[in-house]
Amino acid sequence: FVVYSTRPDNNNNDIGNDTNAIAHDFVQYNTAFDDSDLIPAALPAGNGFIYSVQPELAGVAVTVNDQSINYGQAIDLSDFSLSGSLGYEVGGISIDAAEFELASASAFGASDVNLMLDSSIGSSGAGFVVAGIYADGIKAVLNPASTFVGQGLALSGSGDLTVNKIDINVTVAAASKVYDATTAATLTIAGDDRLTGDTLSIDPGTSMFANKDVATGVSISVVGASLAGSDAGNYNLVVGNPGSLTADITPASLMIN
């Protein structure tokens, strides 16, 4: 059987802690009577009571703390606190949890809460939260393993998340050249310390010898180095050895006819 009613405490035969209660297998709330679908397929198996009211957990507040981390660090999904006097209500009026066959509100605790990221927050190729500032980016939700699941209980509470860019240290190598009457130099990327899995391309920029004359160990300056790629926004580019870059300019061959 399936019995539709507004709320348990309106029934003549109370289902909660009553020796005369009708034996049943399930209770479901927040479901309106529908004479075109008297026994919905989504109902649990067996006999049960369906009520139109929606009990709500009242008096509990979840405070989710703001977090600021560096790109590549893990978010603390336990950084929240609970406060308030726990109880249930319907329409703003307190009700008896046992009569409504609800888990004891006094048993509600930190293990009943999960923190999750807002669905709009993306992840990088390395699998970390993308650098940025996310208002209300961390949200409190009911733990799927909680005994309060299925009772229509909702939690509110959110905190801001800031993910800071980190430095990517790039090492460049300079190539020696044959004298060509210019200061143009050629650089190649020797290595970097990106997080594994991130997609980046590095442009070493424009490089110039300090002068165009033949010499050994001529200093080279670098300007305009840049990052590109889908994960470039997570990094600050740092060229690790610009002050120590040198290369040789060797004499050009002179042909005399």
Side-chain angles (χ1 to χ4, degrees):
F1 65 83
V2 175
V3 176
Y4 283 88
S5 179
T6 55
R7 51 193 291 163
D9 48 3
N10 283 347
N11 292 351
N12 291 330
N13 208 346
D14 186 357
I15 66 168
N17 294 338
D18 190 320
T19 55
N20 295 317
I22 300 173
H24 56 282
D25 302 298
F26 69 87
V27 173
Q28 181 167 303
Y29 292 96
N30 197 30
T31 305
F33 176 74
D34 182 356
D35 57 6
S36 66
D37 188 17
L38 295 179
I39 305 180
L43 286 179
N47 303 316
F49 290 81
I50 296 178
Y51 299 101
S52 60
V53 297
Q54 177 60 71
E56 296 178 346
L57 189 63
V60 59
V62 182
T63 300
V64 180
N65 296 318
D66 296 341
Q67 295 188 43
S68 179
I69 62 173
N70 292 329
Y71 173 65
Q73 291 182 325
I75 297 165
D76 185 353
L77 296 179
S78 64
D79 194 7
F80 66 91
S81 59
L82 299 177
S83 61
S85 177
L86 305 180
Y88 288 96
E89 64 179 31
V90 169
I93 300 174
S94 296
I95 60 174
D96 181 84
E99 189 172 19
F100 277 68
E101 294 195 39
L102 301 169
S104 171
S106 61
F108 189 93
S111 62
D112 294 296
V113 179
N114 276 0
L115 295 186
M116 63 181 296
L117 296 180
D118 186 86
S119 59
S120 65
I121 298 177
S123 59
S124 67
F128 296 102
V129 174
V130 173
I133 299 174
Y134 305 100
D136 299 322
I138 309 173
K139 300 182 182 297
V141 297
L142 196 62
N143 184 343
S146 169
T147 57
F148 294 90
V149 169
Q151 299 175 30
L153 305 180
L155 296 179
S156 62
S158 61
D160 297 341
L161 173 64
T162 301
V163 181
N164 304 298
K165 294 182 180 184
I166 61 173
D167 291 346
I168 180 171
N169 296 288
V170 176
T171 303
V172 294
S176 295
K177 72 170 187 175
V178 175
Y179 174 78
D180 61 4
T182 74
T183 59
T186 301
L187 296 182
T188 57
I189 303 298
D192 64 76
D193 58 355
R194 75 185 73 186
L195 297 184
T196 302
D198 276 349
T199 300
L200 295 171
S201 60
I202 303 171
D203 182 347
T206 302
S207 55
M208 293 182 296
F209 283 96
N211 61 72
K212 63 183 178 61
D213 298 326
V214 172
T216 58
V218 182
S219 295
I220 296 175
S221 61
V222 181
V223 294
S226 62
L227 289 175
S230 57
D231 297 308
N234 301 309
Y235 296 95
N236 300 308
L237 176 60
V238 177
V239 179
N241 57 338
S244 60
L245 278 176
T246 62
D248 301 337
I249 300 177
T250 60
S253 299
L254 178 63
M255 296 184 64
I256 300 176
N257 294 325

